[in-house]
Amino acid sequence: MSAPPLLGASPRRGGGVLRHVAGKLGGAVAGVAAVVVLGFFLFRMIPGDPTVTMTRGRQVDEAQIAELRALHGYDRPIVEQFGKYVGGLLRGDMGTSLFYRRTVAELIGERVGPTLLLVGTSTLIAVTLGLWLGIRGAWRRDSLFDRTSTGVALLGWAMPAFWLGMLLSMVTGDLFPSGGMRFSSTPPGFWPQALDVAHHMVLPSLTLIAVVYAQYQLVMRSSLLEEMNADYLTTARAKGLRDDQVRRRHAVPNALLPTVTLVFLHIGLVVTGAITVETVYSWPGLGLLTYEALAGPDLPLLQGTFVVLAGSVIVMNVLADLLYQVLDPRVRAS
């Protein structure tokens, strides 16, 4: 008779975790594949001829347009075009922009930095502000501070980003630049350039923060309110801990889990949501690049930005799920 397993041993737990991770990665790959298919066929439903983008501002006849269409394969069957597109993606080739006459990968590589700077800065401030307001509001439930901060958060959340962006531009006047990322007259050097970029980033960052932080505040407030009546907090108070110690050491860490998960889930959505803000402020990131490609229409560029933006949402969803496994021991044990 074989010996029973040792107490506390979990021989299948490691395999279960690996299966879970493999399942999530497989789901992410399937999601990216669906994005590729959707992006390819969806953008071909947009009215307009892509070859017109290439000939804009030039005098061309129908024969030349037909030649360009054949050169880029737009006269081929749609299934054949899709096969060529997927083959290029597998080789790392996203195609060539019809408007910029440069590779899509190169254009995306240039624009991803400004988007990450804007989204990263805005998300960091929004998370910090949302958590602080949510914790303070929950611990002082129904106080003037709680009602005011919640009302302001809901008001900002309800405002369309493009409308809020235009409003901030009108209200601030010439105090902050409302377009671009830097002035051409700024002298070279790290600090002058950095201050110029920060100056230009004030309005787009404020717009993103205003429409984002409310979600973190409301989730944190709700989570903390659920924890405040828990038995372990009563026990902590009975041991003589001060109210701020009970909040800081016990209630807040347990209430943070849903908010931390939301942060990762929402980062990808903030990246895609930056399209509106970047367009309003002419911020030279992926959002503005997507808008310019849509105005063409520039099909290769549209497909490339769509795959990158939608792929970021999928990746962040996977990271949020895996992080949830790490942070919550109850999930790991299940």
Side-chain angles (χ1 to χ4, degrees):
M1 179 179 297
S2 59
L6 295 175
L7 182 63
S10 301
R12 292 181 294 179
R13 181 175 298 176
V17 171
L18 291 177
R19 283 194 300 272
H20 178 78
V21 173
K24 290 298 177 182
L25 294 179
V29 172
V32 172
V35 164
V36 171
V37 174
L38 179 63
F40 180 86
F41 290 100
L42 178 64
F43 291 129
R44 273 158 177 73
M45 299 171 60
I46 297 176
D49 190 341
T51 55
V52 175
T53 304
M54 296 181 284
T55 59
R56 186 172 298 163
R58 294 185 294 172
Q59 294 293 331
V60 294
D61 54 28
E62 289 296 329
Q64 291 173 313
I65 291 179
E67 183 179 351
L68 283 173
R69 195 175 289 120
L71 178 64
H72 291 273
Y74 292 125
D75 61 336
R76 305 286 179 84
I78 191 70
V79 176
E80 184 178 341
Q81 294 182 44
F82 178 68
K84 182 180 178 182
Y85 172 64
V86 172
L89 282 181
L90 294 176
R91 297 191 304 270
D93 180 13
M94 293 185 173
T96 302
S97 168
L98 304 180
F99 180 77
Y100 289 98
R101 310 292 176 84
R102 298 167 58 191
T103 64
V104 173
E106 183 181 357
L107 289 169
I108 291 177
E110 290 179 356
R111 300 294 188 97
V112 71
T115 293
L116 291 178
L117 175 63
L118 176 62
V119 171
T121 303
S122 303
T123 300
L124 181 62
I125 297 175
V127 170
T128 304
L129 179 63
L131 292 183
W132 181 78
L133 290 174
I135 293 171
R136 187 179 177 87
W139 212 254
R140 300 182 179 183
R141 183 179 182 180
D142 294 329
S143 65
L144 178 62
F145 176 86
D146 181 32
R147 293 195 298 269
T148 303
S149 62
T150 302
V152 171
L154 290 174
L155 179 64
W157 194 6
M159 289 184 182
F162 73 90
W163 184 86
L164 180 59
M166 292 187 291
L167 180 64
L168 287 176
S169 298
M170 291 187 295
V171 170
T172 57
D174 297 331
L175 185 60
F176 299 105
S178 59
M181 186 174 174
R182 56 171 61 90
F183 292 121
S184 58
S185 58
T186 304
F190 175 78
W191 287 112
Q193 292 290 327
L195 291 175
D196 190 20
V197 171
H199 192 204
H200 280 77
M201 197 167 61
V202 170
L203 290 183
S205 293
L206 281 177
T207 304
L208 274 178
I209 292 168
V211 298
V212 166
Y213 87 93
Q215 300 179 55
Y216 306 128
Q217 175 183 342
L218 297 177
V219 171
M220 186 66 210
R221 180 181 181 275
S222 176
S223 299
L224 189 55
L225 286 175
E226 292 181 1
E227 296 292 334
M228 285 174 62
N229 295 323
D231 293 338
Y232 70 90
L233 295 186
T234 304
T235 303
R237 292 188 179 96
K239 291 180 178 179
L241 293 179
R242 297 193 306 273
D243 200 51
D244 62 328
Q245 292 177 320
V246 173
R247 180 181 69 246
R248 187 176 62 254
R249 296 181 184 180
H250 299 280
V252 171
N254 285 284
L256 269 176
L257 180 59
T259 310
V260 172
T261 306
L262 177 66
V263 169
F264 277 83
L265 283 173
H266 201 257
I267 287 177
L269 298 178
V270 174
V271 172
T272 58
I275 294 176
T276 304
V277 175
E278 289 186 3
T279 302
V280 170
Y281 292 106
S282 299
W283 184 264
L286 288 177
L288 182 60
L289 186 66
T290 303
Y291 175 79
E292 294 169 348
L294 189 62
D298 192 336
L299 288 184
L301 188 54
L302 267 177
Q303 291 164 178
T305 55
F306 181 76
V307 169
V308 171
L309 293 176
S312 67
V313 176
I314 294 173
V315 170
M316 288 302 164
N317 285 347
V318 173
L319 289 178
D321 187 82
L322 296 178
L323 181 65
Y324 199 90
Q325 298 278 329
V326 173
L327 294 178
D328 195 342
R330 295 169 297 181
V331 177
R332 292 199 304 269
S334 61

